[in-house]
Amino acid sequence: MNEKGISEKELFAELGSFSNADTNFKKVFSSMCTIPHPVAVKAQQQFSLSNIGDPGLFRGTCEMETEVIKMAAGILNHPDSKSAFGHLTSGGTESNIEAVLHMKNRFSDFSPGSSPDSGSKLNLIVPKTAHFSFEKIANLLGIELKKADIDSSFRVIPESVESLIDKNTIGLIGIAGSTEFGECDPIEQLSEIAVKHNLPLHIDAAFGGFVYPFLNQSQSNYNTKFAFDLPGVTSVSLDPHKMGLSVIPSGILIFKDNSVLSSSLDKIKVKTPYLTSRYQSTLTGTRPGSSVAATYAVMKHLGVEGYQKNVAYCMDLVDHFQKELKKIGLKPCIPPAINIITVAVSSESDKFDKAAAHEKTEKIRSQLLEKYGWNVSATKTIPALRFVLMPHITKEDISELISDLKKELDKKTV
Ligand code: 0PR
């Protein structure tokens, strides 16, 4: 560190050049985050000193956190939003970690006397399309991930999930808005399986939580349930910092009520002698009240109608994207359920050579970035380009991107 501090002028000139090296989202089709709503940014600044890890000092922010949980419970069709139990996190990863930690703790309560088969680990059943945060969780919590098969539209097959359940299973995961395809698993069937086997079911709606509830049925073929109106769903995570238009970091973890945790809360609860609260049962300690305020602000300001408009805008982009694709003889790998589109771009013959198809897709992806500045990602499950159509994108951006994609595809080398 420098011995003497630099002037504010010098400092902000420096920050300016760092900031110029960051994206302004102009050509970003790879991110599940977007430019936050201005009211969220304003509220974040107003509450920059707030720490909900010490609730007695920040009673106002804590009240807002309670309100955010109630509003989120409403979005998730909770039959009684007052009994919903949850808190804000840093995002999908932390929410998923905590949900699975509770599953692990709860396991011993519900399997009295039946200790896991000796020598084998406790396990969690996830769809093959689950986000990589579950790999971290397995490592962190010392559990095994059992990956259930998916069908041709990349949704988990309920029979496969049920066939993987054994004596050591601590819970099930369903996804509403998968990272690669945006698909929603058949949660109604997963809910039935969860009830039948008395297992908790956590829904990872990090992305889809602020999309599916606001979809206009005429813009999507989606019409199934995924949240607390299903009896088997015990917890849901949804991220305001993705389609919720809040600031980073903002995640929400919400349980149907605190009884679904059994005695797990007591197990992770720690005494907090030097705080204004006596106990703490969240994973992290100091937590940004500024994120709570930002999320509260944008949810209150937009309301259901505002989020419906936001989703309708993105679905209109999906429509435009498909029309532009058609013009160059391409179509999405599957009809997009929400604002994520995957497109196979390698030639037909590569269908028999998956590795070559992945390689060619990757080549096109990197050309789009290097030559034209487009940030696009490629999927792992199948060889395809993946485009996330977030609110910062315009139809003009899409037309320009597709025309650059055509230029690349027209080259004989591809
Ligand atoms: N669950 C799902 C379904 C997700 O898609 C993600 C993130 C998570 C959980 C984890 O959320 P956090 O990253 O908030 O902990 N999916 C994207 C990813 O990791 C997030 C992302 C965000 C990607 C911004 C790119 C980017 O620029 O791929």
Side-chain angles (χ1 to χ4, degrees):
M1 200 159 99
N2 38 306
E3 198 59 41
K4 279 192 175 172
I6 63 171
S7 72
E8 210 174 303
K9 198 172 162 207
E10 245 182 296
L11 173 69
F12 280 94
E14 223 179 80
L15 292 190
S17 58
F18 284 123
S19 150
N20 287 339
D22 288 351
T23 183
N24 58 6
F25 279 109
K26 179 80 187 89
K27 289 190 152 188
V28 178
F29 281 72
S30 56
S31 178
M32 296 181 123
C33 294
T34 189
I35 301 165
H37 193 287
V39 301
V41 178
K42 209 169 159 188
Q44 181 188 37
Q45 282 162 357
Q46 188 180 352
F47 286 81
S48 62
L49 81 183
S50 172
N51 166 22
I52 41 172
D54 200 354
L57 297 185
F58 299 98
R59 291 180 199 277
T61 319
C62 286
E63 249 179 70
M64 281 193 283
E65 187 180 38
T66 308
E67 285 305 311
V68 167
I69 296 302
K70 266 198 233 159
M71 288 192 272
I75 295 175
L76 301 171
N77 294 330
H78 198 296
D80 171 21
S81 64
K82 278 192 241 82
S83 63
F85 173 83
H87 62 91
L88 266 80
T89 67
S90 60
T93 302
E94 187 185 326
S95 298
N96 287 342
I97 293 174
E98 222 169 304
V100 180
L101 173 65
H102 283 301
M103 285 179 175
K104 191 181 171 194
N105 283 339
R106 176 192 177 277
F107 179 82
S108 54
D109 294 334
F110 281 85
S111 313
S114 70
S115 56
D117 287 343
S118 55
S120 54
K121 282 182 174 178
L122 297 179
N123 65 66
L124 175 73
I125 301 175
V126 300
K128 269 192 181 143
T129 45
H131 183 254
F132 53 71
S133 51
F134 289 99
E135 308 284 344
K136 298 183 189 176
I137 292 167
N139 193 320
L140 195 66
L141 301 180
I143 57 175
E144 181 198 349
L145 282 191
K146 285 193 169 189
K147 297 189 179 176
D149 288 330
I150 48 177
D151 64 18
S152 58
S153 53
F154 310 106
R155 302 167 82 216
V156 79
I157 301 171
E159 293 74 23
S160 170
V161 170
E162 190 161 22
S163 73
L164 291 173
I165 296 174
D166 65 20
K167 213 177 146 213
N168 297 340
T169 301
I170 61 169
L172 313 177
I173 303 292
I175 313 168
S178 64
T179 310
E180 289 198 328
F181 303 99
E183 283 297 308
C184 184
D185 288 325
I187 311 288
E188 289 193 70
Q189 281 147 285
L190 295 186
S191 162
E192 280 168 24
I193 295 170
V195 171
K196 181 172 154 197
H197 295 270
N198 188 24
L199 286 169
L201 169 61
H202 172 69
I203 307 302
D204 181 352
F207 190 75
F210 280 93
V211 182
Y212 279 107
F214 303 113
L215 263 183
N216 176 336
Q217 297 298 302
S218 68
Q219 286 179 306
S220 170
N221 52 8
Y222 172 80
N223 64 357
T224 51
K225 298 177 176 179
F226 76 95
F228 292 120
D229 40 353
L230 297 173
V233 173
T234 44
S235 59
V236 179
S237 70
L238 68 166
D239 284 355
H241 71 203
K242 296 191 170 82
M243 282 292 283
L245 306 179
S246 188
V247 300
I248 296 171
S250 300
I252 297 175
L253 172 62
I254 177 162
F255 294 89
K256 184 179 252 170
D257 54 58
N258 60 10
S259 75
V260 297
L261 302 173
S262 188
S263 65
S264 176
L265 267 187
D266 289 333
K267 287 179 188 151
I268 66 168
K269 196 158 97 175
V270 288
K271 279 192 180 155
T272 50
Y274 20 75
L275 300 187
T276 50
S277 58
R278 288 173 50 216
Y279 298 100
Q280 193 170 81
S281 50
T282 49
L283 193 62
T284 53
T286 300
R287 293 188 296 130
S290 54
S291 294
V292 173
T295 299
Y296 178 88
V298 66
M299 288 177 82
K300 279 293 239 198
H301 183 66
L302 290 181
V304 171
E305 270 182 27
Y307 281 116
Q308 281 171 341
K309 273 190 197 150
N310 185 48
V311 171
Y313 174 81
C314 295
M315 293 309 287
D316 199 33
L317 293 180
V318 169
D319 194 47
H320 182 72
F321 200 102
Q322 295 191 87
K323 285 184 185 141
E324 292 290 298
L325 272 183
K326 202 171 172 190
K327 285 189 201 157
I328 65 164
L330 290 175
K331 64 177 176 51
C333 299
I334 49 165
I338 56 169
N339 50 330
I340 299 179
I341 298 192
T342 49
V343 185
V345 287
S346 67
S347 61
E348 285 296 297
S349 59
D350 291 326
K351 284 196 176 148
F352 304 102
D353 186 349
K354 237 182 151 190
H358 275 292
E359 206 178 298
K360 285 185 182 175
T361 307
E362 176 50 31
K363 195 170 162 201
I364 295 170
R365 191 201 64 77
S366 63
Q367 292 294 321
L368 283 173
L369 180 63
E370 280 159 33
K371 285 202 197 152
Y372 314 96
W374 298 111
N375 285 278
V376 166
S377 39
T379 47
K380 206 175 61 177
T381 311
I382 49 162
L385 292 179
R386 165 182 171 271
F387 306 87
V388 190
L389 304 184
M390 296 298 284
H392 58 261
I393 289 168
T394 63
K395 287 188 183 173
E396 291 70 36
D397 296 332
I398 291 172
S399 303
E400 207 186 311
L401 163 69
I402 303 278
S403 122
D404 290 339
L405 174 62
K406 180 169 169 27
K407 283 183 225 156
E408 282 310 298
L409 294 177
D410 283 348
K411 286 185 185 161
K412 284 283 168 271
T413 51
V414 179

